[in-house]
Amino acid sequence: MQTTLLLAATRAAHPSFAPRSVLSSVFAAAPLRRSLATTVAAPSVSPSASSSSAAASLHSSSVSSSALASQQQSSAPPVPSPYTAAAVRQPWTQPLNSFLRSFATAAPLGILELDRSVFGSTPRKDLLARAIRYEEAWRLQGTESTKNLGQVRGSTRKPFQQKGRGKARVGTVRAPQWRGGYIVHGPRPHLQTIDLPRKVYASALRSALSAKFLQNQLLVVDSLHLDSPLKAALADRLAANDLLNRKVYLLYGSEEPEQNLVLASNKFWNREADEARDLPQEKQILVASARNVMVGPLLENELLVCDKAAIEALEEMYHVE
């Protein structure tokens, strides 16, 4: 800063002064420092004094402008950060909405807000695969069995002598390499279930429910109650909601089982259309309580139909913070 002021004063006092570089200007202006100092101290006005006053006024104006800019910056309202909740609403905090329809007429009754932690999580294929293996293992009976050496019927005598035949030694006719012999390391009756942490299975269920919502395969109705166990009563409601001849998984949330719904759904079978007997195509319908929901049926069936009570039960059981 001092070098800049000194160059300005030197050019004002000597118009023909033209330094070739910054260092040369500094060394050339060094003898004039004392004269400039005495000129500024004198009361009379001189060209050097006017130049120094101009430089001082320039410095003061720059200082005042910087102070004014800092004051304006301090008085300006703070700019909201893009990471605050007020500036940007994160997508995972926005509510999920679904239409609430009538099961009898399919007319929209309103909009139901869903829990994002249950129906809006990111589906994970690894958790779904682990849950499927867990459920399939529970269906295995584990009753397969083979006979060991003590269980195979046959003599206990040694069929041939130990040496002298030029063949392999044989100690019993029930040997595993012989026909009718026992099985080496064969299966025995045992429990074939596998363990899966409860939180992992709950996460798999949330992934399956979220996949149904993301694929637009979730239908929320007011109630799944039927007044009669007739097949036609359920078929009319399925046709009204465009669910006839489609694989449907019905979940009810009431504490008491829907007897009429279960009896009516049991009359639907997986069969192709038979024109000779005038039988239309049908798909099997699965009915279960929301408290007994499983991952396998959620993935096997095309559509998931839940009543309002089932949605509340699922959100109560599988909600996470």
Side-chain angles (χ1 to χ4, degrees):
M1 186 66 186
Q2 294 178 359
T3 304
T4 305
L5 295 176
L6 191 58
L7 288 175
T10 304
R11 291 192 182 94
H14 303 278
S16 62
F17 178 75
R20 291 172 296 177
S21 63
V22 176
L23 292 178
S24 62
S25 63
V26 172
F27 291 130
L32 300 177
R33 291 179 181 176
R34 184 177 300 178
S35 62
L36 287 175
T38 56
T39 305
V40 172
S44 60
V45 179
S46 63
S48 61
S50 63
S51 62
S52 62
S53 62
S57 62
L58 179 62
H59 176 65
S60 62
S61 63
S62 63
V63 173
S64 61
S65 61
S66 62
L68 180 61
S70 62
Q71 184 179 2
Q72 292 178 354
Q73 185 177 3
S74 61
S75 62
V79 180
S81 173
Y83 299 101
T84 59
V88 177
R89 187 176 181 88
Q90 303 295 350
W92 54 83
T93 61
Q94 298 178 2
L96 295 179
N97 298 323
S98 176
F99 280 105
L100 179 64
R101 300 183 180 275
S102 173
F103 188 53
T105 62
L109 303 177
I111 296 179
L112 182 65
E113 183 176 349
L114 303 179
D115 190 351
R116 179 171 286 275
S117 64
V118 179
F119 295 94
S121 62
T122 303
R124 291 184 52 180
K125 296 187 292 184
D126 57 335
L127 297 183
L128 294 176
R130 293 179 62 182
I132 291 297
R133 288 195 296 267
Y134 170 75
E135 294 177 356
E136 289 180 351
W138 274 99
R139 297 192 186 101
L140 299 178
Q141 295 181 357
T143 56
E144 62 272 17
S145 177
T146 56
K147 293 182 179 181
N148 55 22
L149 178 61
Q151 296 172 339
V152 175
R153 180 175 179 269
S155 174
T156 58
R157 70 178 180 86
K158 187 177 178 64
F160 305 105
Q161 60 183 3
Q162 181 75 1
K163 296 180 178 297
R165 293 194 317 126
K167 296 183 179 181
R169 53 195 175 184
V170 180
T172 176
V173 294
R174 298 174 294 168
Q177 70 271 22
W178 282 33
R179 180 181 178 182
Y182 73 98
I183 303 300
V184 181
H185 304 301
R188 303 294 298 170
H190 65 285
L191 189 63
Q192 297 186 1
T193 57
I194 58 178
D195 294 333
L196 188 67
R198 178 180 57 86
K199 292 184 178 180
V200 175
Y201 189 75
S203 299
L205 276 172
R206 284 191 288 268
S207 297
L209 293 173
S210 301
K212 286 297 179 184
F213 179 81
L214 292 175
Q215 295 174 356
N216 198 19
Q217 296 178 347
L218 174 63
L219 178 62
V220 184
V221 298
D222 54 352
S223 176
L224 293 176
H225 178 72
L226 291 180
D227 296 332
S228 63
L230 297 179
K231 180 180 179 179
L234 181 56
D236 293 341
R237 285 167 170 76
L238 294 178
N241 291 274
D242 195 17
L243 301 176
L244 198 60
N245 299 332
R246 303 174 72 176
K247 297 190 67 175
V248 183
Y249 188 26
L250 303 178
L251 290 181
Y252 60 88
S254 59
E255 296 290 343
E256 297 295 330
E258 296 287 347
Q259 296 290 346
N260 294 335
L261 181 64
V262 173
L263 293 176
S265 62
N266 288 338
K267 299 175 183 178
F268 287 84
W269 298 90
N270 287 329
R271 68 183 182 191
E272 298 295 334
D274 191 352
E275 298 179 358
R277 295 188 299 172
D278 195 15
L279 294 177
Q281 181 183 6
E282 286 186 359
K283 295 289 185 180
Q284 189 176 3
I285 299 176
L286 183 61
V287 180
S289 173
R291 293 167 178 80
N292 299 328
V293 61
M294 299 178 66
V295 177
L298 285 175
L299 301 181
E300 292 173 1
N301 292 275
E302 180 183 359
L303 296 171
L304 173 64
V305 181
C306 303
D307 57 4
K308 188 176 179 181
I311 294 294
E312 295 175 355
L314 292 174
E315 292 179 351
E316 179 184 357
M317 291 187 299
Y318 300 108
H319 171 75
V320 291
E321 298 295 338

